[in-house]
Amino acid sequence: QDVEPIRRDCETWRQVWTKRGLPSEQVIYEDSASEPAKVLAAVARLKATIEPGSTGTVWLCVSGHGDVQNHQPVMKFQATENEFVTLSWTRVFKGLALPPNWSAVLIADMCHNNMLGKVLPKRYEAIVVRQDMTDERCKMVSYKYDGQGERGVLSWIAQRSVPKDLNLASMRDSMKQLSIADGKRYTKPPVPTYDFRIETWHPEFGTLKPG
């Protein structure tokens, strides 16, 4: 269901990181993660690339369907024509289990990503639409961009914003300007002008703190 925009987003992400010079073994690309087990297997392969005692940042770029269960955001997969299965973000984060000197940035182009602040562990940051994390209404959209095919709005903007030095502050500012420009340019139908920001979840405070 709506699989082509999702695959297009993921393939473009693979190209982005390859062009940035990351070794191929550090770019874990999965365009057929049609069930929870495949997502967790990809996370395990990513975890295996982290060397003990090293320091770094993991970038998780995800495009797909999202949903809400028990007021928590989840990934959603179509198992059959009328049946869906889900995967909690908590299981994904536990599967990655970041070492002490590592952090992660999550770009989740899916419905209800504004609620990720509820489940983000320490040392994770998420690039999301600026929405109340208790708002369970879906507001994400995809759009058929000029000559680029239909793709997720969040991925489309972020993929043009990843700076070579991976500076998060620069990326945030670039995404904001691109979202404003796209909102003015693509008007048939109108594309929401999203206000992006980096948000970090601090469990000890129980609140969101802008990065």
Side-chain angles (χ1 to χ4, degrees):
Q1 182 181 16
D2 304 327
V3 71
E4 285 307 313
I6 293 171
R7 286 180 174 169
R8 195 172 289 117
D9 288 341
C10 293
E11 169 60 22
T12 306
W13 275 119
R14 185 189 65 81
Q15 296 175 8
V16 165
W17 296 121
T18 300
K19 289 179 180 179
R20 295 304 184 211
L22 268 69
S24 58
E25 64 272 13
Q26 293 184 14
V27 181
I28 308 300
Y29 170 60
E30 177 61 77
D31 70 344
S32 61
S34 57
E35 58 187 57
K38 291 184 177 180
V39 172
L40 294 176
V43 170
R45 293 199 303 274
L46 177 60
K47 179 179 174 59
T49 67
I50 300 178
E51 298 181 1
S54 61
T55 301
T57 301
V58 171
W59 288 70
L60 299 173
C61 305
V62 185
S63 181
H65 294 291
D67 206 344
V68 177
Q69 285 186 342
N70 299 320
H71 308 293
Q72 301 287 324
V74 296
M75 296 185 191
K76 184 171 73 171
F77 308 84
Q78 188 164 10
T80 66
E81 183 176 355
N82 300 310
E83 183 182 5
F84 290 85
V85 294
T86 60
L87 172 64
S88 73
W89 281 101
T90 301
R91 288 188 64 189
V92 174
F93 299 142
K94 286 183 177 179
L96 186 54
L98 288 177
N101 294 325
W102 279 73
S103 60
V105 177
L106 171 62
I107 300 175
D109 201 339
M110 55 181 55
C111 289
H112 309 291
N113 69 1
N114 59 290
M115 300 180 69
L116 282 168
K118 284 189 168 188
V119 295
L120 277 179
K122 294 180 181 179
R123 293 181 286 117
Y124 275 78
E125 295 178 271
I127 296 175
V128 302
V129 294
R130 182 182 291 204
Q131 300 288 353
D132 182 349
M133 69 178 179
T134 63
D135 189 344
E136 297 187 4
R137 295 172 296 174
C138 179
K139 298 179 180 178
M140 291 300 294
V141 298
S142 60
Y143 188 80
K144 188 175 291 185
Y145 289 94
D146 299 342
Q148 301 295 327
E150 187 174 353
R151 58 186 66 229
V153 170
L154 182 55
S155 288
W156 171 246
I157 293 175
Q159 286 160 356
R160 291 181 291 157
S161 307
V162 180
K164 291 183 179 180
D165 61 356
L166 302 185
N167 182 287
L168 292 180
S170 175
M171 181 178 179
R172 177 191 59 199
D173 293 340
S174 178
M175 288 182 69
K176 182 175 182 179
Q177 295 305 314
L178 286 169
S179 69
I180 294 173
D182 282 358
K184 293 179 179 178
R185 178 180 179 187
Y186 298 105
T187 58
K188 300 179 181 180
V191 173
T193 304
Y194 291 120
D195 185 5
F196 293 94
R197 69 177 177 184
I198 303 294
E199 293 180 325
T200 304
W201 175 240
H202 294 278
E204 66 270 33
F205 300 131
T207 184
L208 285 171
K209 181 179 178 182

